[in-house]
Amino acid sequence: MTFPLRALLSCAAAAVLLLPAQRIVSSPVSPADLASNAQVGNSQALRNKAEQLFAMANQVRAARGLNALQWDPALAAAALYHCARMAAEGPISHQYAGEPDLGERAGQAGAHFSLLEENVADGEQPAQIHDAWMHSQGHRDNLLNPAVDRLGVAVVARGNTLYAVEDFSRSVQVLSAEQVEATVSHLVAEAGVSPHANSVGARLACAQDHGLPVSLDNRRPEFIMRWQDAELSHLPGALLDRIATGKYHEAAVGSCPSQSAEHTFTVYRVAVLLLKPEQAAASRTYLSSK
């Protein structure tokens, strides 16, 4: 899973600079400059300019029948941090030397997401910056992406120049392990298999890459499915195919921490153990004893 930074190098309007993705600038930055610019970014006048860019984004989406974006305070905080860095550095970039990347910035600010995009620019007025983004294919794609649902915007001024950042995301609901198991158990029941009353064995299986814990060798299920996803709206096709055979009576559902390399993305890891009728009767006693 990756986050697309799809901006193009372009100069669509006078005094507006648009940035290509992932250009790293190594010039030094002063912590005092960052603090000063962050304070400027929090001024009411500049908050109003950020709100103007947010409103223009939703206006152009509404004109094309797209879903309205919700304001995301965590994304706005991540955008402000990076916006202050841009103003302190001078040349704009998606990431500077020693700075966390976009995913880390958003995650550290408290955002939860399965998709992340960013537009950056500098210019003189919000309308000018928005118009330039709309005339650059990469920035336009981010603004009009039907898959995103949240947006955070920040604007910082340095002299007569405005530095602007838009961070877009597809948000993910934050669920506990118990809530994940309840959600998947409901999907299992809808598919025609009764959820097992105890999740201990499935949680142990979830934590492994393959096979079963040694303690479960004597109660081996017929089929095990492990997967990771940010969405819990449906079961994997391979699991549904197995359930559709009608061979299985019960399913033990367990959740555990994800094993994704992209720790900033919100991902849930789940294991489902399918049991035939005779196995279900034996396993019920065994699992409940754990």
Side-chain angles (χ1 to χ4, degrees):
M1 189 181 297
T2 59
F3 52 83
L5 299 177
R6 300 176 300 194
L8 303 179
L9 181 60
S10 175
C11 190
V16 176
L17 176 62
L18 306 183
L19 186 72
Q22 302 287 13
R23 182 167 67 87
I24 307 301
V25 178
S26 59
S27 55
V29 59
S30 161
D33 285 342
L34 274 178
S36 174
N37 284 317
Q39 291 172 3
V40 172
N42 279 315
S43 72
Q44 187 59 53
L46 291 178
R47 284 200 298 269
N48 290 343
K49 294 183 186 299
E51 290 169 2
Q52 290 173 35
L53 284 170
F54 176 77
M56 285 184 276
N58 272 332
Q59 287 167 5
V60 73
R61 290 175 67 89
R64 290 158 176 79
L66 296 172
N67 56 300
L69 302 176
Q70 295 183 42
W71 179 268
D72 190 300
L75 290 178
L80 180 58
Y81 170 87
H82 184 62
C83 209
R85 185 71 185 257
M86 287 201 306
E89 294 279 358
I92 62 173
S93 173
H94 286 291
Q95 185 182 9
Y96 297 95
E99 181 187 24
D101 66 18
L102 172 58
E104 291 178 287
R105 294 196 302 266
Q108 289 170 4
H112 296 272
F113 47 87
S114 59
L115 172 68
L116 195 60
E117 302 173 340
E118 182 173 79
N119 285 346
V120 299
D122 64 6
E124 296 178 354
Q125 296 295 332
Q128 188 184 43
I129 290 172
H130 174 77
D131 184 67
W133 278 335
M134 287 299 296
H135 284 85
S136 167
Q137 187 63 52
H139 299 84
R140 179 188 174 95
D141 287 348
N142 287 345
L143 277 159
L144 300 181
N145 187 350
V148 299
D149 57 15
R150 291 182 179 270
L151 172 60
V153 187
V155 176
V156 167
R158 183 175 184 176
N160 295 324
T161 301
L162 297 180
Y163 293 84
V165 176
E166 289 183 331
D167 285 346
F168 304 84
S169 78
R170 180 177 180 84
S171 60
V172 174
Q173 186 178 10
V174 183
L175 301 175
S176 67
E178 291 76 13
Q179 290 172 319
V180 170
E181 291 167 0
T183 299
V184 176
S185 293
H186 178 72
L187 294 174
V188 165
E190 285 186 334
V193 175
S194 299
H196 197 283
N198 193 300
S199 296
V200 173
R203 289 176 181 172
L204 293 172
C206 179
Q208 293 188 269
D209 289 330
H210 53 80
L212 277 172
V214 174
S215 60
L216 292 181
D217 281 349
N218 295 328
R219 300 291 189 268
R220 186 177 297 277
E222 281 288 307
F223 182 79
I224 305 170
M225 170 66 73
R226 300 175 179 87
W227 75 96
Q228 294 187 167
D229 203 342
E231 304 289 343
L232 295 175
S233 59
H234 59 276
L235 298 175
L239 179 57
L240 288 172
D241 289 343
R242 284 282 182 156
I243 292 174
T245 64
K247 298 179 181 178
Y248 306 101
H249 178 69
E250 273 191 310
V253 178
S255 178
C256 60
S258 74
Q259 298 179 9
S260 172
E262 292 288 352
H263 295 294
T264 55
F265 287 85
T266 301
V267 177
Y268 300 111
R269 182 173 173 86
V270 187
V272 172
L273 284 56
L274 294 181
L275 303 168
K276 288 184 176 180
E278 61 272 19
Q279 293 173 313
S283 294
R284 183 178 296 105
T285 300
Y286 177 79
L287 291 175
S288 62
S289 70
K290 304 293 289 185

